[in-house]
Amino acid sequence: MNVHPFIEAEKCAGHSVKRACELLKVSRAAFYARRFDILSKRRRQDAELTERNSLVHAGSRGAYGAPRVHAALRQTGTLCGRRRVARLMRETGLTGRCRRPRVRTTVPDPRAAHRPDLLDRDFAPSTGLNTRWCGDITYIATAEGWLYLATVIDIASRKVVGWATADHLRTSLVTQALTTACQTRKPKPGLVFHSDRGCQYTSRELAAVAASKSVRLSVGRTGVCWDNALAESFFATLKRELVAADGPMWSSRAAARVAIFEYVEGWYNVRRLHSSLGYRSPTDYETALAA
């Protein structure tokens, strides 16, 4: 029987180690030798885990906090507790990136025709790929001026299935993103494309493009970011992980486009772990559905 935990408990409670050893018929020298071995082994394990934490954190461009670092380690067969990972990351100064304050960019058109909200805030992952998409516009600072980014995301898998950039906010920006998504995914008629009530998304031009592709348009309420929460969340993630990693702005719009391409196509869609997908990437999630 291993009596060392009982002696350790007595020691932590402030009782005499000598007396506990005498009662359990264990020498104090053996107890302290065993205790030293356990602590040394723990320190070695902590050092190894700290190194693995650093590798995973660096591989995520410094974006992952303890939950995703822990999930990534578990996927590679490293057995460890989430709290232990968090403790070691704190001790070594490794942190994930926090969200920046949100800036409102939606400009509604008071003359736009009424469109329904077909989602009602249901952004849960599902097996229904290419049945519900959402989109939005954000802006990225460059030395040449703003670069505007429009995205289309498959709600079922969180995958960015279409995106476009431009130096303007005209409706052609969002129609290009939607057209690209339709060409890439080839959805069946009846797909729902959800957005906010920005003038680009309530325009006749987008309605015509959507009708030509048998896409049903859906919009949330004005000024209520939760009605398009998934699209808002993606932009918060992009700005937290990409913009913070490469600095406040790029030297040109072309450089920013390259950085966005590498982030979306080389990291976010294929490698980044999503907690809502069971800590899988969108591509891995879709592959699992197809299996």
Side-chain angles (χ1 to χ4, degrees):
M1 177 181 178
N2 183 11
V3 298
H4 291 84
F6 299 100
I7 301 174
E8 188 69 41
E10 290 297 310
K11 182 179 183 299
C12 292
H15 299 153
S16 170
V17 172
K18 178 181 178 181
R19 180 58 178 162
C21 289
E22 290 173 350
L23 290 174
L24 295 170
K25 298 180 180 180
V26 175
S27 70
R28 280 188 293 169
F31 165 70
Y32 283 113
R34 169 79 171 176
R35 187 168 185 267
F36 178 78
D37 288 342
I38 292 174
L39 291 176
S40 297
K41 182 179 179 181
R42 183 76 173 181
R43 291 191 188 100
R44 289 196 300 271
Q45 291 174 341
D46 279 356
E48 292 173 359
L49 186 56
T50 295
E51 184 176 354
R52 294 176 184 177
N53 287 348
S54 299
L55 290 174
V56 172
H57 187 262
S60 73
R61 305 180 180 208
Y64 282 0
R68 285 188 172 83
V69 169
H70 175 252
L73 290 171
R74 298 278 293 184
Q75 289 179 5
T76 59
T78 302
L79 300 180
C80 54
R82 179 167 163 176
R83 291 183 179 180
R84 188 178 185 186
V85 169
R87 172 178 62 81
L88 294 175
M89 289 183 66
R90 284 196 303 271
E91 291 175 358
T92 52
L94 297 179
T95 59
R97 295 207 180 94
C98 300
R99 292 187 179 184
R100 294 183 172 186
R102 177 178 175 270
V103 178
R104 182 172 179 264
T105 57
T106 303
V107 180
D109 182 355
R111 301 166 298 175
H114 173 74
R115 287 182 187 146
D117 183 345
L118 301 176
L119 292 189
D120 194 24
R121 297 189 185 178
D122 180 10
F123 297 102
S126 68
T127 59
L129 299 177
N130 301 319
T131 59
R132 299 178 305 150
W133 292 350
C134 66
D136 202 356
I137 303 172
T138 194
Y139 55 91
I140 306 293
T142 78
E144 293 180 340
W146 295 116
L147 175 70
Y148 297 98
L149 168 66
T151 56
V152 179
I153 299 173
D154 192 321
I155 295 172
S157 66
R158 277 39 182 169
K159 190 168 191 174
V160 179
V161 295
W163 59 279
T165 58
D167 59 358
H168 59 77
L169 276 171
R170 294 190 290 274
T171 302
S172 58
L173 174 65
V174 298
T175 58
Q176 182 183 348
L178 180 60
T179 299
T180 300
C182 290
Q183 291 173 344
T184 302
R185 304 284 279 196
K186 297 179 173 55
K188 294 180 180 179
L191 175 142
V192 172
F193 178 54
H194 184 80
S195 67
D196 59 30
R197 287 187 180 273
C199 56
Q200 300 88 349
Y201 291 104
T202 56
S203 65
R204 293 181 180 178
E205 182 181 344
L206 179 63
V209 171
S212 69
K213 301 181 183 303
S214 299
V215 172
R216 295 187 294 161
L217 296 179
S218 167
V219 295
R221 290 168 293 178
T222 302
V224 183
C225 61
W226 297 281
D227 284 359
N228 199 21
L230 181 55
E232 297 277 359
S233 176
F234 169 75
F235 285 148
T237 299
L238 180 139
K239 291 191 174 183
R240 181 173 69 245
E241 298 183 359
L242 178 63
V243 177
D246 293 340
M249 68 169 60
W250 284 267
S251 59
S252 65
R253 293 188 178 96
R257 287 190 189 97
V258 171
I260 292 168
F261 174 84
E262 292 175 345
Y263 178 82
V264 173
E265 306 296 350
W267 168 249
Y268 186 88
N269 279 346
V270 298
R271 293 179 55 200
R272 188 183 186 277
L273 305 182
H274 292 245
S275 57
S276 60
L277 303 178
Y279 289 103
R280 288 175 289 183
S281 70
T283 297
D284 287 343
Y285 183 79
E286 292 190 356
T287 300
L289 291 181

